[in-house]
Amino acid sequence: MDNTSSKKGEVDVREELAKLGKDLPLPFYILLQAFLTWMTGKPYCGQQPLFVPTRFYQLMTTLLSLFGGAMGSIAIWNSSPLFYPLLLVSWSFTVGGARKIQTCINHRCIHRQFFGDQRDRWLADGLSTILLTQDFEGYYYDHIKLHHHYDYFATFDNDPDADFLWHIGFRPGLRDKAEDKKKVNLAPN
């Protein structure tokens, strides 16, 4: 199987997009491909990242999103009502920053992977105080002691994440209904 097909007979669209701009000067080609990777969420085979974001970069951009969105909301709210629709944009930045803090930064702190020492606890407690979310101790207990515990990892007994997924309708072994419909539609009459 070559680089341009993911399954037999299928063309990998991202590999086809990698051919765009080959006649451009190298810096422009690299920027075009970086943009296409950002848009598609998939690099072409062998593509190197423009830079590797560090944990501090992730933390700073997340805080910038959270506080920038909040400050933008305040500025919009104190301006003309004509600008109120822009609140949706500023709220998106605020919520995106808050979600990334909880799902990425605090999660790494709970696993002791951000600093690797006591500062993980301090950072998680500080960020959870800002967001008014579960503190380090509570999150650690729920996540490490319940979710990652070897007796019931990804079971419904004491795993709040698996229990939540069960209650919103996810079931083990569920298939994609769109795939099933494709199979039905492709069946001969």
Side-chain angles (χ1 to χ4, degrees):
M1 184 161 59
D2 62 12
N3 288 340
T4 60
S5 63
S6 53
K7 292 182 182 175
K8 189 174 182 179
E10 288 185 14
V11 174
D12 186 338
V13 176
R14 184 60 186 99
E15 293 303 320
E16 291 298 312
L17 288 173
K19 298 174 186 175
L20 285 177
K22 286 247 184 204
D23 54 341
L24 293 172
L26 186 60
F28 293 115
Y29 174 75
I30 291 171
L31 288 174
L32 172 66
Q33 292 304 318
F35 174 75
L36 291 172
T37 298
W38 175 71
M39 288 298 294
T40 62
K42 180 180 179 185
Y44 65 82
C45 185
Q47 183 180 18
Q48 297 298 311
L50 292 177
F51 72 99
V52 178
T54 65
R55 61 182 180 221
F56 297 109
Y57 171 84
Q58 296 291 346
L59 178 62
M60 291 301 121
T61 56
T62 302
L63 291 173
L64 181 65
S65 176
L66 177 72
F67 292 119
M71 299 308 275
S73 296
I74 292 168
I76 293 166
W77 188 256
N78 290 322
S79 67
S80 168
L82 293 173
F83 294 113
Y84 285 0
L86 292 175
L87 284 170
L88 296 174
V89 175
S90 64
W91 290 343
S92 296
F93 279 99
T94 305
V95 171
R99 287 179 53 85
K100 188 169 180 182
I101 285 172
Q102 188 61 23
T103 60
C104 298
I105 309 294
N106 279 356
H107 185 253
R108 286 186 71 184
C109 288
I110 293 302
H111 283 283
R112 306 243 189 235
Q113 294 176 336
F114 199 84
F115 293 110
D117 57 26
Q118 185 64 26
R119 293 176 294 172
D120 285 336
R121 175 188 215 97
W122 299 338
L123 180 60
D125 277 337
L127 294 173
S128 64
T129 299
I130 292 168
L131 297 180
L132 303 176
T133 57
Q134 197 173 25
D135 68 341
F136 183 91
E137 282 299 318
Y139 189 22
Y140 183 86
Y141 178 79
D142 283 350
H143 189 69
I144 302 297
K145 299 294 184 186
L146 296 181
H147 175 67
H148 281 298
H149 191 275
Y150 63 88
D151 281 341
Y152 31 77
F153 179 68
T155 66
F156 302 110
D157 296 333
N158 288 313
D159 185 346
D161 299 322
D163 188 46
F164 172 74
L165 292 172
W166 178 268
H167 279 89
I168 62 171
F170 287 92
R171 301 290 185 269
L174 278 182
R175 294 193 322 239
D176 184 3
K177 291 183 181 182
E179 287 296 318
D180 290 342
K181 286 180 184 177
K182 284 181 189 176
K183 290 176 188 171
V184 171
N185 291 337
L186 295 176
N189 291 335

